[in-house]
Amino acid sequence: MAAAPPEEFLKRLVELTKTEQAAEEKESSLLFTNASVSLLERSGLALGNLSGQTSIGLGGRLLVELTRPAAYHSSPDFPPHDFRPGDLARLRPQGAAGGGARKATRGPSKEEKGKEKDDDALDAVVYRTTANRMVLAVDDPSDDFMLPERIQIIKVANPITFVRQCFFLNRALRKLEAAEPLSPLLSVLLGQQKPTIFQRSPDEPLSFINENLNASQKEAVDFALSSNEVALIWGPPGTGKTETLVEIIRQCVKADKRVLVCGASNLSVDNILARLSVSHPNFPQPIPLTRVGHPARVLSGLTRHTLDAQSSSTDSSALVEDIKKEIEELENKLRNGSGKTRIRGSERKKMWEEVRELRKEFRKRQGGIVSEVVSKAKVVLATTHGAGGRSLDRFEFDVVIIDEAAQATEPACWIPILKGKKLILAGDHLQLPPTLKSSDRLTKSLGSKSSKATSKEGTAPPAQPGKLTLSPDLEVTLFSRLLARHGPSIRRMLKVQYRFNAKINSFPSTMLYDGELVPDESVKDRKLSDLEGVEADEDLDEPVVFFDTAGQAMYERAAEDGSFGSASKSNENEADVVHKYVQALVNANVPPTSISIISPYNSQVLLLASLIHPQYPEIEVGSVDSNQDVVIVSLVRSNAEGEVGFLRELRRLNVSMTRPRRHLVVVGDSETVSKGSNFLKKWMEWLEEEALVKVP
């Protein structure tokens, strides 16, 4: 990889961001051009024949609640689907043609007006989902939008994220081009100087608010607070990374510093918010908190902390609330009227004009309230993307913290970086990297000795002094780049994990964490039979089990052979093995809510959900974010060529094997899997040595 000055480095990030945007838009375009609606529905990317009703939610947003009417469906429950809170969905009349590949924007350009093929479509954010209801939130509905009697929704891509990343990267470029001295933080990030540390006096040790932190957590807190420009906190799974960050944030607030807390996902941000919103005995005073972002993307129990909710409860909000109520009353009359109650003609036109004027007044007054709320907050929380919103335009922070930094692309991190004086990154570069459309590195082997070194350090060796190594793609994160450039001196590792037992801990600790990751005494002997009412035999009490399908002709197959989406894989025989094992667990009184099933292939996830959910709807299928007592992993790949695809990525396997608390079950073909990489081969050898391999 070539070395380059800072200007070329930032330009390269802009180029990579645009390449990723183009790749995502191309995939979306191919999907909706080549795939039938029925295939989209079978793939979980569309839901059809829905009915809906509207209401007004936070911030004056139009809410659309969707259900499956009995006239078109035998069950009110949704089939397995890929719609999650925060996703962008296109709502349109059932059977509408075209428009699937249109970019999600605030509205069509002047050139596009009159050319739109999907005039009846409306883009919305998934606000809330249950088994039989889904609520979408719409920011800017057309004045006279009416819900169709039969509704279809399709999941779509959102390019706004990439536009915002390029905007802030170009802002950093302008700082360089202005030839003015860079801040110490930017100088370190752009390779102009080394990071420095404030030396705390031995006579004045740090007084910890949470005295129950372990030694490695306390060391990480002290290091992060003492670092002048940037610090990395390496948090392997289950090591209490969130608790460590909460301590750092409270210490910053105690020192009268303003903090911007970001994460690669809404869930990571909300996890920190949930902990911060609860006072600690040694820090009883509540911290002024504000959560920036669309309320649809925030956990329901935390919405009181959102900017929208806080704005609606200020002293200045009474008039705004009156305007909102007036808008709601008018819109309800206009949108929900039917038959004789439907308003028509000139009266309808006049009422919509009144709604438009009220919306303008609402946004103007709400803008002033938003600034008032944010200015009072000591801690502002947002995703990396959300940190670039208008509500934070004129605000600066003493400290910026980015959680899940090893899963965020570097361009995404530059959005909050330009709002702070100091940066703290937290994450684990040996867990999943950013999800990318433009990179094929996920399918390359990382199992060789050189690949292992690269994946552990993140990038190639440091560039020449004063220059930066140009990133080959966006999988090289800021976290891994800084770790590669400055080495262990820039990070502190959390070494005690509180999630899984000693047997589950053994292999990843040895292979990936240099043997330094250890289970806490409270979890090291965990087993299934410890759960109340569970009647686990010796086999079920074994912490790790590999069901080997080698030689049993349990081959993989491509999804929808010969059609769009056939790159995904499924394995019906493996799904049957998983189903039977789930039944054995439940028969032993293991609660279904304690079981999670995951697979690296979406086609297999959908197959497993269709097989498991009719009998056990409480079992989570497909989520790698859940930490359950039992996690069952279906590897899918089984072929004569030894092709393993995603499984070559050791980080993908690592995130799966470190999810369960008590019992890890893996179903796969040992002959195929062991050919994938040296890492997979050593894993299979370890399983054999520990007598953990069984025949299904």
Side-chain angles (χ1 to χ4, degrees):
M1 289 183 282
E7 292 85 354
E8 291 302 315
F9 176 79
L10 290 174
K11 288 178 181 177
R12 172 64 172 165
L13 290 182
V14 171
E15 176 188 340
L16 290 173
T17 302
K18 291 180 177 179
T19 299
E20 178 66 14
Q21 178 182 350
E24 185 166 301
E25 290 177 356
K26 181 179 180 181
E27 181 181 275
S28 179
S29 177
L30 286 172
L31 176 65
F32 293 111
T33 300
N34 298 339
S36 65
V37 173
S38 60
L39 177 56
L40 292 177
E41 290 184 352
R42 291 198 300 274
S43 302
L45 299 174
L47 293 169
N49 281 318
L50 309 176
S51 62
Q53 60 183 23
T54 63
S55 61
I56 300 297
L58 286 172
R61 294 177 176 88
L62 177 70
L63 299 183
V64 181
E65 181 177 300
L66 301 173
T67 55
R68 303 179 88 211
Y72 303 111
H73 302 282
S74 58
S75 169
D77 290 347
F78 293 117
H81 61 80
D82 202 31
F83 290 91
R84 301 291 181 269
D87 288 343
L88 198 66
R90 178 153 304 143
L91 183 154
R92 64 186 190 181
Q94 182 71 30
R102 180 169 61 90
K103 296 180 184 179
T105 61
R106 295 183 182 276
S109 65
K110 291 181 179 179
E111 291 77 10
E112 291 172 319
K113 287 182 178 179
K115 300 180 181 179
E116 187 59 66
K117 295 181 180 180
D118 207 6
D119 291 327
D120 295 328
L122 183 69
D123 286 343
V125 174
V126 178
Y127 184 77
R128 187 167 50 247
T129 62
T130 67
N132 52 27
R133 292 181 184 275
M134 183 180 299
V135 180
L136 306 183
V138 185
D139 284 330
D140 295 304
S142 61
D143 287 344
D144 207 6
F145 176 78
M146 296 290 293
L147 279 179
E149 181 179 342
R150 294 168 60 200
I151 299 168
Q152 175 187 87
I153 58 171
I154 296 176
K155 189 174 179 180
V156 294
N158 189 349
I160 298 174
T161 298
F162 302 109
V163 173
R164 188 168 287 179
Q165 289 173 12
C166 289
F167 175 83
F168 280 88
L169 286 170
N170 284 319
R171 178 179 287 183
L173 268 170
R174 289 194 294 273
K175 288 180 178 290
L176 285 172
E177 292 166 354
E180 297 177 359
L182 294 176
S183 68
L185 172 58
L186 293 186
S187 294
V188 170
L189 297 183
L190 294 174
Q192 305 303 291
Q193 71 176 56
K194 294 182 178 181
T196 61
I197 296 178
F198 165 75
Q199 297 298 330
R200 194 184 305 278
S201 171
D203 299 328
E204 298 181 2
L206 179 64
S207 176
F208 291 95
I209 296 168
N210 183 358
E211 298 170 347
N212 294 324
L213 296 176
N214 64 48
S216 65
Q217 290 172 327
K218 288 181 177 179
E219 183 183 5
V221 170
D222 198 355
F223 175 70
L225 296 174
S226 301
S227 299
N228 292 322
E229 301 89 13
V230 63
L232 273 58
I233 297 177
W234 181 10
T239 52
K241 176 168 56 68
T242 301
E243 286 293 340
T244 304
L245 291 179
V246 167
E247 175 73 16
I248 292 170
I249 296 166
R250 285 176 175 151
Q251 292 283 354
C252 289
V253 173
K254 184 179 176 181
D256 198 30
K257 296 181 183 296
R258 294 196 75 203
V259 187
L260 174 60
V261 181
C262 296
S265 69
N266 283 284
L267 183 60
S268 68
V269 178
D270 288 344
N271 283 338
I272 296 175
L273 174 58
R275 305 283 181 90
L276 275 179
S277 60
V278 178
S279 62
H280 189 278
N282 296 334
F283 198 85
Q285 62 270 36
I287 299 174
L289 304 167
T290 293
R291 171 67 158 96
V292 173
H294 200 301
R297 295 181 169 97
V298 180
L299 293 177
S300 58
L302 300 172
T303 52
R304 69 185 185 280
H305 298 293
T306 61
L307 186 55
D308 284 60
Q310 291 177 347
S311 296
S312 64
S313 62
T314 63
D315 294 337
S316 308
S317 66
L319 179 57
V320 174
E321 189 64 26
D322 288 341
I323 297 173
K324 175 189 169 183
K325 289 179 179 177
E326 196 170 348
I327 294 173
E328 184 172 14
E329 289 174 2
L330 286 172
E331 289 209 4
N332 280 335
K333 289 180 182 179
L334 289 164
R335 295 189 191 281
N336 297 330
S338 61
K340 293 182 179 180
T341 63
R342 179 174 172 81
I343 301 168
R344 294 177 171 81
S346 59
E347 184 182 358
R348 184 176 185 83
K349 182 179 179 181
K350 182 179 179 181
M351 287 180 69
W352 274 119
E353 289 175 353
E354 187 177 352
V355 169
R356 283 197 297 271
E357 292 302 316
L358 286 171
R359 282 181 186 158
K360 290 178 183 178
E361 183 69 14
F362 179 87
R363 288 167 182 156
K364 178 181 177 181
R365 292 184 179 276
Q366 193 177 49
I369 295 174
V370 163
S371 295
E372 177 187 339
V373 171
V374 174
S375 63
K376 292 179 180 178
K378 293 295 292 184
V379 179
V380 175
L381 303 99
T383 60
T384 51
H385 171 74
R390 293 177 183 175
S391 57
L392 298 184
D393 263 355
R394 65 181 186 87
F395 293 97
E396 292 186 352
F397 298 85
D398 299 297
V399 181
V400 171
I401 297 175
I402 302 179
D403 190 20
E404 289 188 349
Q407 293 184 40
T409 64
E410 178 155 353
C413 291
W414 276 90
I415 297 173
I417 282 171
L418 293 180
K419 298 180 180 296
K421 302 173 184 176
K422 174 178 172 175
L423 178 65
I424 298 171
L425 301 174
D428 181 8
H429 54 297
L430 301 184
Q431 294 278 304
L432 285 181
T435 301
L436 301 171
K437 305 292 185 185
S438 59
S439 173
D440 64 351
R441 294 180 74 201
L442 283 178
T443 61
K444 294 180 180 178
S445 173
L446 290 177
S448 66
K449 183 176 180 181
S450 60
S451 294
K452 179 186 173 185
T454 300
S455 67
K456 291 188 72 173
E457 295 305 321
T459 65
Q464 307 165 25
K467 292 192 175 184
L468 298 167
T469 300
L470 292 181
S471 300
D473 57 38
L474 292 180
E475 194 179 326
V476 179
T477 64
L478 178 61
F479 188 99
S480 59
R481 177 171 72 82
L482 291 174
L483 184 57
R485 186 174 183 84
H486 300 289
S489 65
I490 200 173
R491 57 91 169 163
R492 293 294 183 272
M493 176 182 170
L494 307 181
K495 299 179 180 180
V496 181
Q497 61 86 7
Y498 300 86
R499 181 185 301 166
F500 37 91
N501 57 41
K503 181 61 71 69
I504 296 173
N505 183 88
S506 178
F507 186 79
S509 177
T510 301
M511 288 298 298
L512 299 176
Y513 300 105
D514 299 321
E516 293 188 282
L517 183 63
V518 297
D520 184 69
E521 287 292 322
S522 63
V523 304
K524 72 174 187 177
D525 296 321
R526 274 180 168 173
K527 52 188 179 181
L528 270 181
S529 58
D530 294 334
L531 295 175
E532 184 177 357
V534 172
E535 300 173 357
D537 57 21
E538 186 176 339
D539 289 337
L540 289 181
D541 253 350
E542 177 60 62
V544 181
V545 177
F546 183 91
F547 282 112
D548 190 2
T549 65
Q552 299 187 48
M554 294 188 178
Y555 298 123
E556 69 192 58
R557 71 179 182 88
E560 297 292 329
D561 284 334
S563 64
F564 184 86
S566 59
S568 189
K569 308 291 181 183
S570 63
N571 191 315
E572 293 180 0
N573 291 308
E574 277 193 15
D576 288 337
V577 173
V578 170
H579 188 204
K580 290 177 182 177
Y581 197 75
V582 166
Q583 290 175 323
L585 289 168
V586 175
N587 289 339
N589 296 325
V590 176
T593 52
S594 296
I595 303 171
S596 180
I597 303 171
I598 58 180
S599 176
Y601 290 92
N602 192 51
S603 291
Q604 185 73 350
V605 169
L606 293 172
L607 174 61
L608 286 164
S610 66
L611 194 63
I612 301 294
H613 279 162
Q615 190 173 1
Y616 308 110
E618 311 97 319
I619 292 179
E620 286 191 82
V621 179
S623 173
V624 295
D625 294 320
S626 62
N627 304 314
Q628 300 288 14
D629 288 305
V630 180
V631 171
I632 305 173
V633 185
S634 174
L635 297 180
V636 177
R637 302 312 297 265
S638 178
N639 54 74
E641 295 78 19
E643 291 292 334
V644 297
F646 290 134
L647 302 183
R648 280 201 182 96
E649 172 55 81
L650 61 86
R651 291 169 289 188
R652 188 174 295 276
L653 189 60
N654 185 33
V655 77
S656 298
M657 67 170 57
T658 55
R659 291 296 99 187
R661 300 187 186 98
R662 303 171 189 272
H663 192 51
L664 171 65
V665 181
V666 182
V667 184
D669 182 334
S670 62
E671 290 185 9
T672 299
V673 171
S674 60
K675 294 176 184 177
S677 66
N678 284 343
F679 178 81
L680 288 168
K681 183 179 180 181
K682 290 180 180 179
W683 182 52
M684 291 306 308
E685 290 172 352
W686 177 80
L687 290 167
E688 291 281 359
E689 290 171 0
E690 296 290 331
L692 302 175
V693 179
K694 300 181 183 297
V695 177

